[in-house]
Amino acid sequence: RKLSERSLAGVAEYILSGQAQKIVVMIGAGLSTAAGIPDFRSPKTGLYANLQRFNLEDPTDIFDIQFFQEDPKPFYTLAEEIYPGKYKPTISHQFISLLAKKGLLHQLFTQNVDCLERLAGVPDDLLVEAHGSFNSQRCIKCKTEYPTEEFRERVRKGEVVYCPADECKGALIKPDITFFGEQLPTRFRQRRHLASEADLVIVMGTSLQVGPFNELPEDVPHITPRLLINRDRVGSFGLRSDDVIWLGDCDESVRELADALGWREELEKDWTE
Ligand code: OAD
């Protein structure tokens, strides 16, 4: 075993001993709920429990590529609501950025499309947006990119945006976020091996219900300590001798971890700046 104890204090001690130089972080929607963006699967507050107005047979249809082609309105309505621009990173996002600043972040894999990792200052080279992001958008037919500012404006006005090219005959423009039925971005496949190089893995704010992302914590060798910070126990956490399960709110837990590391002041300063 590498951890002296299976707690935040044990993980902090491991980091401070210098044994964790390649930390891989894997996150999901739970990281952004404190920023005001709902997650997907929380029973009352999650997005999937609040889509009645769209009369969908299955709530995940809103991110289904076939459904989108038949009826783009539900997705466009939702896109207007969750479009980046009005949300700020949480202290948990800032903590990941601090790991990067200290040269300890090997890679951040996020399922979120809200761009809050970038806003917190995580460098592009250390970031894999495994389900894409709202950072760009393109025609689903000819794949030509559509200008971001214009797209944002039109989405805000409640319009559905189509490709201007004659040969596309009004094919839809879709943000480069991964829908069900689509492949994950190439970057995910290219960088997936980085998970197995980790000397510490931190998983936060995800139900680990969606593949192939949920295979990432399994790619990690059994001797590598894994820390789960989440409201619920998820995935295979607990089966390995160096698994730490820290149940609760991620911002609170991250502050506790920062305290144990002696980084709290720096973290709060970075966050408010
Ligand atoms: P989920 O909504 O499935 O899971 C969020 C997890 O975070 C749950 O376990 C919550 O209990 C937990 N959580 C919420 N707020 C929290 C907080 N403040 N502190 C700690 N834990 C908290 O979201 P994801 O796992 O990200 O895919 O969902 C994965 C994918 O499913 C998404 O990327 C999206 C969705 O369908 C696509 O759209 C392709």
Side-chain angles (χ1 to χ4, degrees):
R1 290 199 27 202
K2 295 192 171 185
L3 299 180
S4 60
E5 54 175 87
R6 291 165 79 167
S7 65
L8 290 183
V11 171
E13 194 187 322
Y14 177 68
I15 295 174
L16 292 173
S17 76
Q19 292 177 82
Q21 298 286 332
K22 291 183 173 176
I23 303 179
V24 172
V25 182
M26 303 162 187
I27 62 173
L31 224 75
S32 299
T33 52
I37 307 171
D39 66 6
F40 297 91
R41 295 178 182 78
S42 281
K44 290 206 179 84
T45 53
L47 191 64
Y48 292 152
N50 289 286
L51 296 175
Q52 295 85 349
R53 61 200 147 130
F54 297 124
N55 282 324
L56 305 171
E57 246 170 67
D58 176 346
T60 58
D61 280 350
I62 200 153
F63 297 114
D64 183 279
I65 191 66
Q66 251 180 324
F67 183 92
F68 176 68
Q69 279 165 277
E70 285 157 26
D71 183 8
K73 199 67 193 160
F75 172 75
Y76 265 92
T77 309
L78 184 71
E80 195 271 321
E81 287 168 24
I82 61 175
Y83 213 91
K86 44 190 170 197
Y87 301 105
K88 292 207 180 73
T90 66
I91 198 94
S92 299
H93 289 99
Q94 202 62 52
F95 180 78
I96 304 168
S97 184
L98 183 61
L99 288 176
K101 196 168 113 185
K102 292 186 181 292
L104 299 175
L105 183 68
H106 194 46
Q107 200 75 195
L108 167 61
F109 292 91
T110 182
Q111 295 165 94
N112 300 345
V113 297
D114 54 30
C115 300
L116 292 186
E117 305 83 4
R118 293 167 191 263
L119 265 182
V122 175
D124 180 66
D125 190 46
L126 297 180
L127 177 65
V128 175
E129 292 170 322
H131 293 166
S133 88
F134 273 103
N135 220 25
S136 55
Q137 51 287 313
R138 66 193 68 243
C139 168
I140 56 172
K141 197 166 169 210
C142 71
K143 309 288 179 203
T144 305
E145 264 203 55
Y146 192 89
T148 300
E149 276 316 307
E150 193 177 327
F151 186 71
R152 182 184 302 233
E153 273 295 295
R154 298 184 65 182
V155 169
R156 289 220 171 113
K157 282 190 212 146
E159 290 177 33
V160 171
V161 187
Y162 297 92
C163 183
D166 287 343
E167 59 276 21
C168 284
K169 294 209 175 70
L172 288 156
I173 304 290
K174 177 179 105 26
D176 290 334
I177 63 182
T178 311
F179 277 32
F180 291 109
E182 288 189 306
Q183 279 217 329
L184 268 57
T186 328
R187 192 165 162 114
F188 176 81
R189 288 192 296 281
Q190 285 168 340
R191 296 194 173 203
R192 188 176 167 162
H193 70 280
L194 295 174
S196 57
E197 294 175 4
D199 43 27
L200 172 66
V201 168
I202 304 177
V203 176
M204 293 193 278
T206 172
S207 62
L208 291 180
Q209 298 250 334
V210 175
F213 191 96
N214 60 4
E215 295 163 14
L216 283 178
E218 306 311 311
D219 288 355
V220 179
H222 275 69
I223 52 157
T224 306
R226 303 186 306 176
L227 165 64
L228 171 72
I229 297 177
N230 204 44
R231 280 194 188 137
D232 323 293
R233 189 188 181 116
V234 296
S236 68
F237 275 84
L239 295 177
R240 302 182 179 184
S241 57
D242 269 334
D243 277 351
V244 177
I245 301 177
W246 207 258
L247 297 183
D249 177 78
C250 39
D251 285 355
E252 232 171 78
S253 312
V254 154
R255 285 191 159 105
E256 225 175 298
L257 180 57
D259 275 333
L261 285 160
W263 298 353
R264 178 72 183 272
E265 210 177 307
E266 187 177 4
L267 175 67
E268 300 285 349
K269 196 162 159 273
D270 286 357
W271 190 51
T272 43
E273 259 171 14

Short mmCIF file of all heavy atoms in Angstrom, two decimals, residues 28-30 33 39-42 48 63 111-112 131 178 180 205-208 210 230-232 248-250, ligand 1:
data_model
loop_
_atom_site.label_atom_id
_atom_site.label_comp_id
_atom_site.label_asym_id
_atom_site.label_seq_id
_atom_site.Cartn_x
_atom_site.Cartn_y
_atom_site.Cartn_z
N GLY A 28 -16.96 15.26 -13.67
CA GLY A 28 -18.24 15.31 -14.34
C GLY A 28 -19.08 16.46 -13.82
O GLY A 28 -18.57 17.36 -13.13
N ALA A 29 -20.35 16.41 -14.12
CA ALA A 29 -21.25 17.55 -13.89
C ALA A 29 -21.34 17.99 -12.44
O ALA A 29 -21.68 19.14 -12.16
CB ALA A 29 -22.64 17.19 -14.42
N GLY A 30 -21.05 17.08 -11.49
CA GLY A 30 -21.11 17.44 -10.07
C GLY A 30 -20.15 18.56 -9.71
O GLY A 30 -20.33 19.24 -8.70
N THR A 33 -22.22 21.97 -10.36
CA THR A 33 -23.54 22.28 -9.77
C THR A 33 -23.45 23.52 -8.87
O THR A 33 -24.36 24.33 -8.86
CB THR A 33 -24.13 21.08 -8.99
OG1 THR A 33 -23.17 20.62 -8.04
CG2 THR A 33 -24.52 19.94 -9.90
N ASP A 39 -26.65 19.10 -12.77
CA ASP A 39 -26.02 17.89 -13.31
C ASP A 39 -27.09 17.12 -14.07
O ASP A 39 -28.18 17.66 -14.35
CB ASP A 39 -25.33 17.08 -12.21
CG ASP A 39 -26.28 16.48 -11.19
OD1 ASP A 39 -27.51 16.60 -11.37
OD2 ASP A 39 -25.80 15.89 -10.20
N PHE A 40 -26.84 15.88 -14.44
CA PHE A 40 -27.80 15.14 -15.26
C PHE A 40 -28.70 14.24 -14.44
O PHE A 40 -29.91 14.23 -14.62
CB PHE A 40 -27.04 14.30 -16.30
CG PHE A 40 -26.27 15.14 -17.26
CD1 PHE A 40 -24.96 15.48 -17.02
CD2 PHE A 40 -26.89 15.64 -18.39
CE1 PHE A 40 -24.25 16.31 -17.89
CE2 PHE A 40 -26.20 16.46 -19.27
CZ PHE A 40 -24.87 16.80 -19.01
N ARG A 41 -28.11 13.50 -13.51
CA ARG A 41 -28.84 12.38 -12.91
C ARG A 41 -29.25 12.57 -11.46
O ARG A 41 -29.83 11.66 -10.88
CB ARG A 41 -28.03 11.09 -13.07
CG ARG A 41 -27.89 10.70 -14.53
CD ARG A 41 -27.07 9.46 -14.76
NE ARG A 41 -26.95 9.20 -16.19
CZ ARG A 41 -26.13 9.84 -17.03
NH1 ARG A 41 -25.31 10.76 -16.55
NH2 ARG A 41 -26.12 9.56 -18.32
N SER A 42 -28.98 13.70 -10.84
CA SER A 42 -29.46 13.89 -9.46
C SER A 42 -30.99 13.85 -9.49
O SER A 42 -31.61 14.48 -10.36
CB SER A 42 -28.93 15.19 -8.87
OG SER A 42 -27.59 15.00 -8.46
N TYR A 48 -32.06 15.61 -16.32
CA TYR A 48 -32.94 14.57 -16.86
C TYR A 48 -34.28 14.48 -16.11
O TYR A 48 -35.25 13.94 -16.63
CB TYR A 48 -32.24 13.21 -16.86
CG TYR A 48 -31.09 13.12 -17.85
CD1 TYR A 48 -30.01 12.26 -17.63
CD2 TYR A 48 -31.09 13.87 -19.02
CE1 TYR A 48 -28.95 12.18 -18.54
CE2 TYR A 48 -30.04 13.81 -19.92
CZ TYR A 48 -28.97 12.96 -19.68
OH TYR A 48 -27.94 12.88 -20.57
N PHE A 63 -29.79 14.68 -26.10
CA PHE A 63 -28.41 14.62 -26.60
C PHE A 63 -28.23 13.45 -27.57
O PHE A 63 -27.15 12.88 -27.66
CB PHE A 63 -27.42 14.46 -25.44
CG PHE A 63 -27.41 15.62 -24.50
CD1 PHE A 63 -27.83 15.48 -23.19
CD2 PHE A 63 -26.97 16.87 -24.92
CE1 PHE A 63 -27.82 16.56 -22.31
CE2 PHE A 63 -26.95 17.95 -24.05
CZ PHE A 63 -27.38 17.79 -22.75
N GLN A 111 -15.95 15.43 -18.49
CA GLN A 111 -17.12 15.10 -19.31
C GLN A 111 -17.95 16.36 -19.54
O GLN A 111 -18.96 16.34 -20.22
CB GLN A 111 -18.00 14.08 -18.59
CG GLN A 111 -17.31 12.75 -18.39
CD GLN A 111 -18.05 11.89 -17.37
OE1 GLN A 111 -18.87 11.07 -17.70
NE2 GLN A 111 -17.74 12.08 -16.10
N ASN A 112 -17.55 17.45 -18.89
CA ASN A 112 -18.37 18.66 -18.94
C ASN A 112 -18.11 19.47 -20.21
O ASN A 112 -17.00 19.47 -20.73
CB ASN A 112 -18.10 19.51 -17.71
CG ASN A 112 -18.45 18.77 -16.43
OD1 ASN A 112 -19.13 17.75 -16.48
ND2 ASN A 112 -17.97 19.25 -15.30
N HIS A 131 -16.24 14.85 -23.83
CA HIS A 131 -17.53 14.95 -24.52
C HIS A 131 -17.63 16.24 -25.32
O HIS A 131 -18.72 16.74 -25.58
CB HIS A 131 -18.68 14.84 -23.51
CG HIS A 131 -18.79 13.47 -22.88
ND1 HIS A 131 -19.53 13.20 -21.76
CD2 HIS A 131 -18.22 12.29 -23.24
CE1 HIS A 131 -19.41 11.90 -21.45
NE2 HIS A 131 -18.62 11.34 -22.32
N THR A 178 -20.30 15.92 -27.74
CA THR A 178 -20.56 14.55 -28.18
C THR A 178 -21.97 14.13 -27.79
O THR A 178 -22.34 14.17 -26.61
CB THR A 178 -19.54 13.59 -27.53
OG1 THR A 178 -18.24 14.14 -27.72
CG2 THR A 178 -19.63 12.21 -28.14
N PHE A 180 -25.11 11.16 -27.82
CA PHE A 180 -25.21 9.70 -27.84
C PHE A 180 -25.33 9.29 -29.30
O PHE A 180 -26.05 9.93 -30.07
CB PHE A 180 -26.43 9.25 -27.04
CG PHE A 180 -26.26 9.48 -25.56
CD1 PHE A 180 -26.98 10.47 -24.91
CD2 PHE A 180 -25.35 8.74 -24.82
CE1 PHE A 180 -26.81 10.70 -23.55
CE2 PHE A 180 -25.17 8.97 -23.45
CZ PHE A 180 -25.90 9.95 -22.82
N GLY A 205 -17.28 14.38 -8.78
CA GLY A 205 -18.53 14.87 -9.35
C GLY A 205 -19.04 14.15 -10.58
O GLY A 205 -19.55 14.79 -11.50
N THR A 206 -18.95 12.83 -10.59
CA THR A 206 -19.51 12.08 -11.72
C THR A 206 -20.15 10.79 -11.24
O THR A 206 -19.68 10.18 -10.28
CB THR A 206 -18.44 11.78 -12.80
OG1 THR A 206 -19.00 10.90 -13.78
CG2 THR A 206 -17.19 11.14 -12.22
N SER A 207 -21.20 10.39 -11.93
CA SER A 207 -21.87 9.14 -11.57
C SER A 207 -21.19 7.94 -12.23
O SER A 207 -21.53 6.80 -11.95
CB SER A 207 -23.34 9.19 -12.02
OG SER A 207 -23.40 9.32 -13.43
N LEU A 208 -20.24 8.20 -13.11
CA LEU A 208 -19.54 7.15 -13.87
C LEU A 208 -20.53 6.18 -14.53
O LEU A 208 -20.34 4.97 -14.51
CB LEU A 208 -18.55 6.38 -12.97
CG LEU A 208 -17.31 7.13 -12.48
CD1 LEU A 208 -16.44 6.23 -11.61
CD2 LEU A 208 -16.47 7.66 -13.65
N VAL A 210 -21.56 6.73 -17.79
CA VAL A 210 -21.48 6.80 -19.25
C VAL A 210 -20.11 6.35 -19.76
O VAL A 210 -19.07 6.80 -19.28
CB VAL A 210 -21.79 8.24 -19.73
CG1 VAL A 210 -21.59 8.39 -21.23
CG2 VAL A 210 -23.23 8.62 -19.36
N ASN A 230 -17.27 12.60 -4.09
CA ASN A 230 -18.58 12.63 -4.74
C ASN A 230 -19.68 12.49 -3.68
O ASN A 230 -19.42 12.01 -2.59
CB ASN A 230 -18.67 11.46 -5.73
CG ASN A 230 -19.67 11.69 -6.84
OD1 ASN A 230 -19.72 12.77 -7.42
ND2 ASN A 230 -20.48 10.70 -7.14
N ARG A 231 -20.89 12.89 -4.07
CA ARG A 231 -22.00 12.70 -3.12
C ARG A 231 -22.35 11.23 -2.97
O ARG A 231 -22.76 10.79 -1.91
CB ARG A 231 -23.23 13.47 -3.60
CG ARG A 231 -23.13 14.92 -3.25
CD ARG A 231 -24.44 15.64 -3.41
NE ARG A 231 -24.23 17.07 -3.25
CZ ARG A 231 -24.75 18.02 -4.00
NH1 ARG A 231 -25.56 17.69 -4.98
NH2 ARG A 231 -24.48 19.28 -3.77
N ASP A 232 -22.20 10.48 -4.05
CA ASP A 232 -22.53 9.04 -3.99
C ASP A 232 -21.29 8.22 -4.28
O ASP A 232 -20.38 8.67 -4.98
CB ASP A 232 -23.57 8.67 -5.06
CG ASP A 232 -24.60 9.75 -5.27
OD1 ASP A 232 -25.38 9.98 -4.35
OD2 ASP A 232 -24.60 10.36 -6.36
N GLY A 248 -19.49 13.38 -0.10
CA GLY A 248 -19.94 14.71 0.29
C GLY A 248 -19.80 15.69 -0.85
O GLY A 248 -19.62 15.30 -2.00
N ASP A 249 -19.88 16.94 -0.49
CA ASP A 249 -19.82 18.03 -1.46
C ASP A 249 -18.38 18.22 -1.96
O ASP A 249 -17.45 18.20 -1.16
CB ASP A 249 -20.31 19.28 -0.72
CG ASP A 249 -20.24 20.50 -1.58
OD1 ASP A 249 -21.13 20.65 -2.43
OD2 ASP A 249 -19.29 21.29 -1.43
N CYS A 250 -18.20 18.40 -3.27
CA CYS A 250 -16.81 18.48 -3.73
C CYS A 250 -16.09 19.75 -3.30
O CYS A 250 -14.93 19.69 -2.96
CB CYS A 250 -16.63 18.19 -5.22
SG CYS A 250 -17.80 18.79 -6.35
P1 OAD B 1 -24.29 12.86 -13.49
O1 OAD B 1 -25.42 13.81 -13.28
O2 OAD B 1 -24.61 11.53 -14.05
O3 OAD B 1 -23.55 12.62 -12.11
C1 OAD B 1 -23.18 13.69 -11.28
C2 OAD B 1 -22.62 13.12 -9.97
O4 OAD B 1 -22.12 14.19 -9.21
C3 OAD B 1 -23.68 12.41 -9.12
O5 OAD B 1 -23.10 11.26 -8.52
C4 OAD B 1 -24.03 13.48 -8.06
O6 OAD B 1 -24.46 12.94 -6.84
C5 OAD B 1 -22.70 14.16 -7.91
N1 OAD B 1 -22.76 15.56 -7.45
C6 OAD B 1 -23.59 16.55 -7.86
N2 OAD B 1 -23.30 17.72 -7.28
C7 OAD B 1 -22.24 17.47 -6.45
C8 OAD B 1 -21.46 18.27 -5.55
N3 OAD B 1 -21.68 19.57 -5.40
N4 OAD B 1 -20.49 17.65 -4.87
C9 OAD B 1 -20.23 16.32 -5.01
N5 OAD B 1 -20.92 15.53 -5.85
C10 OAD B 1 -21.91 16.09 -6.56
O7 OAD B 1 -23.21 13.64 -14.37
P2 OAD B 1 -21.98 13.01 -15.18
O8 OAD B 1 -21.40 11.86 -14.49
O9 OAD B 1 -21.08 14.13 -15.52
O10 OAD B 1 -23.09 13.13 -21.51
O11 OAD B 1 -22.71 12.54 -16.51
C11 OAD B 1 -21.97 11.92 -17.52
C12 OAD B 1 -22.53 12.22 -18.88
O12 OAD B 1 -23.92 11.88 -18.91
C13 OAD B 1 -22.52 13.66 -19.26
O13 OAD B 1 -21.28 14.09 -19.77
C14 OAD B 1 -23.59 13.74 -20.31
C15 OAD B 1 -24.63 12.88 -19.66
O14 OAD B 1 -25.49 12.24 -20.52
C16 OAD B 1 -23.45 13.58 -22.70
O15 OAD B 1 -24.24 14.48 -22.84
C17 OAD B 1 -22.81 12.87 -23.84
#
